[in-house]
Amino acid sequence: MIRRKRTCWTAILMVCVLLTSGCSIWPGQDDSANNKKVTLTLWYWNRSIDDKLIARAKEKFPNIELTAQKIGGDFKAKLKTTLAARSGEPDIVALNDWIMELFPSEDRFYNLYDLGAGDIEDQYLPWKWKQGVTPSGQMIGFPMDTGPTALFYREDLFKEAGLPSDPEDVTRQINSWDAYAAAGEQIKEKFGGKVFLTDNIATVYNQVISQSAERYFRPDGSFIGMDSATVRKSWDTAVAFKEKGLLANADGWTPGWNAAMNNGEIASFVGAVWMKQVLQEAAPDTSGKWRVARAPGGDGNNGGSFLSILKSSEHPQEAFELIRWLQSPENQLEQYQTLNLFPSAPGVFDDPAMKEKEPFFGGQATGPVFAESAQEVPNAFFGERYPSVHNIITRRLNDVAKQNADPQQVWTDTVHRVERELQR
């Protein structure tokens, strides 16, 4: 009798242990504790993440029910509206190079350092990594792609004008903005003013300032001032290009820019790596005639993206593991091949896939040029008010280029406008 009681209590105890440990005692029964999925929502824009990679992520992480939403229209406006409403926020969100505008709202994002980001920091470009870190030291953006810059130029037009045309020669001889302007004057003379050195005044200003470690603000938020050496050099260089007649006044993302590139009206421009696709779509008739060399004046960066995790997410660790996998060096390399998203992980720069020859660029492998540029980009602090100041300056430069406004008068007015903007 005593033996039967012991057996009974042992069986009851085993059942309790099995139930509390989450194991099933019945074959085929669903283990709800272990198999329960967490739900994550991801916001991204078209071509910022390969759709096929997202599909693979769903297989890689069977414990995650991933809802990936491709947001169209004004992505930034939708995100800011959603943050203001504090409703309908995704768990994970892609951010573009305007990430600095969200630094004042850092408390709305998880600090990725707390989730383990520091363990893999050495796999990514230091300057890119730091762009995702707020002045207080919180990491709110995980590195995605980058936009290292280089000089795109028409090899045939450079050669016809008596300029160096081999990429290595161009890199070596046209290595400053003064040398680049001199090349433009040679092109202008050779073609009787029918071919311009570059597209527009804003491009010149943007590229000169992108090569500097200094922008408009210090990390403590204070304004450096319009008379900083960087701002004055960028402004004066852009104005000099206009006064020498080197600009086609063709604005980017317009049919006029596309036509000017396709009909040979523009011989070159300094731009980010992602301009390769833009150029190929705009100027298909020029295939084989373009080359890429290091940018005059130094290396810079335009654009590039990040992934963040919002504080409203109930599963930040799972979200971080997903982000870490999506943007692993191997997957960044894959997205370079599928979407031309340039990696922020330099460990893949020597991969053969980065050195493939490209017919549109006359068989040149442009990847190594941008890889060298990416590793020399200066580390710069932007500040959340960078876009507003920068837009004022480039708009006013357009007045100089297109309305022949007096550069000195426009400069004085621009200084006042920036001061008023910063007082708001």
Side-chain angles (χ1 to χ4, degrees), residues 136-407:
S136 70
Q138 289 211 58
M139 184 184 182
I140 69 168
F142 193 93
M144 296 175 71
D145 61 309
T146 64
T149 60
L151 175 67
F152 294 76
Y153 69 95
R154 283 280 298 269
E155 186 258 0
D156 56 331
L157 298 179
F158 269 41
K159 183 181 291 183
E160 195 173 344
L163 295 167
S165 56
D166 178 78
E168 291 187 3
D169 292 338
V170 171
T171 295
R172 186 171 57 255
Q173 297 182 39
I174 305 178
N175 57 4
S176 69
W177 287 97
D178 287 342
Y180 186 41
E185 292 184 287
Q186 198 166 323
I187 288 172
K188 179 181 176 183
E189 181 178 351
K190 174 61 182 178
F191 295 103
K194 295 181 180 178
V195 177
F196 295 92
L197 175 64
T198 193
D199 50 3
N200 61 69
I201 197 167
T203 292
V204 177
Y205 180 85
N206 288 337
Q207 298 307 330
V208 177
I209 202 168
S210 77
Q211 296 169 350
S212 173
E214 184 180 88
R215 294 297 192 272
Y216 308 117
F217 299 94
R218 302 179 183 89
D220 64 4
S222 60
F223 183 52
I224 293 175
M226 291 290 283
D227 280 327
S228 76
T230 297
V231 174
R232 285 312 305 245
K233 177 187 176 183
S234 304
W235 176 279
D236 292 343
T237 302
V239 170
F241 270 52
K242 184 269 176 186
E243 292 179 336
K244 291 178 180 178
L246 308 180
L247 306 174
N249 283 338
D251 293 333
W253 315 108
T254 65
W257 191 92
N258 295 351
M261 289 296 171
N262 201 38
N263 64 23
E265 187 181 343
I266 295 173
S268 67
F269 64 93
V270 178
V273 62
W274 41 265
M275 288 297 292
K276 288 200 302 184
Q277 181 178 345
V278 176
L279 180 62
Q280 291 177 52
E281 293 175 353
D285 296 343
T286 64
S287 179
K289 298 178 179 178
W290 290 89
R291 301 289 186 276
V292 173
R294 299 288 286 280
D299 301 298
N301 179 80
N302 302 146
S305 309
F306 303 85
L307 283 173
S308 295
I309 304 172
L310 286 161
K311 264 295 179 53
S312 54
S313 175
E314 296 179 356
H315 308 289
Q317 196 62 54
E318 288 86 350
F320 176 73
E321 295 306 323
L322 177 63
I323 286 175
R324 176 175 173 164
W325 181 83
L326 284 172
Q327 297 304 320
S328 66
E330 296 76 15
N331 283 332
Q332 286 200 355
L333 177 63
E334 181 179 310
Q335 291 185 94
Y336 173 72
Q337 295 172 282
T338 56
L339 295 180
N340 197 30
L341 297 173
F342 202 82
S344 56
V348 302
F349 286 174
D350 287 331
D351 191 278
M354 301 287 292
K355 302 175 181 177
E356 291 184 359
K357 296 180 178 179
E358 298 158 74
F360 186 86
F361 295 97
Q364 181 189 3
T366 67
V369 179
F370 289 106
E372 291 180 10
S373 174
Q375 295 177 87
E376 299 296 331
V377 173
N379 180 36
F381 177 78
F382 288 84
E384 67 267 22
R385 305 196 74 174
Y386 171 90
S388 57
V389 172
H390 191 74
N391 290 340
I392 290 173
I393 295 173
T394 52
R395 281 200 303 269
R396 299 299 289 144
L397 277 170
N398 270 326
D399 292 341
V400 174
K402 297 179 180 177
Q403 300 177 18
N404 288 320
D406 176 60

Side-chain angles (χ1 to χ4, degrees), residues 38-44 64-69 75 79 82-83 87-95 108-112 115 140 306-320 322-323 326:
V38 302
T39 300
L40 295 178
T41 301
L42 163 67
W43 279 10
Y44 68 115
I64 295 176
E65 184 69 38
L66 177 62
T67 301
Q69 298 178 349
F75 187 97
L79 175 60
T82 303
L83 288 173
S87 176
E89 298 173 4
D91 297 272
I92 305 169
V93 63
L95 307 177
R108 305 293 300 279
F109 297 87
Y110 278 100
N111 183 357
L112 302 182
L115 301 174
I140 69 168
F306 303 85
L307 283 173
S308 295
I309 304 172
L310 286 161
K311 264 295 179 53
S312 54
S313 175
E314 296 179 356
H315 308 289
Q317 196 62 54
E318 288 86 350
F320 176 73
L322 177 63
I323 286 175
L326 284 172

Side-chain angles (χ1 to χ4, degrees), residues 91-155:
D91 297 272
I92 305 169
V93 63
L95 307 177
N96 212 327
D97 58 353
W98 37 262
I99 184 174
M100 78 290 286
E101 296 182 44
L102 297 172
F103 282 179
S105 305
E106 63 181 10
D107 61 326
R108 305 293 300 279
F109 297 87
Y110 278 100
N111 183 357
L112 302 182
Y113 280 131
D114 293 339
L115 301 174
D119 295 340
I120 50 176
E121 181 173 354
D122 61 356
Q123 297 180 17
Y124 298 87
L125 292 165
W127 62 266
K128 174 70 177 183
W129 187 275
K130 290 178 181 175
Q131 286 184 0
V133 179
T134 69
S136 70
Q138 289 211 58
M139 184 184 182
I140 69 168
F142 193 93
M144 296 175 71
D145 61 309
T146 64
T149 60
L151 175 67
F152 294 76
Y153 69 95
R154 283 280 298 269
E155 186 258 0

Side-chain angles (χ1 to χ4, degrees), residues 5-35:
K5 283 185 176 179
R6 283 180 178 171
T7 302
C8 181
W9 278 110
T10 300
I12 292 171
L13 182 62
M14 288 182 63
V15 169
C16 291
V17 169
L18 288 168
L19 289 174
T20 53
S21 65
C23 296
S24 172
I25 59 175
W26 293 281
Q29 183 188 19
D30 181 44
D31 183 346
S32 58
N34 284 341
N35 292 340

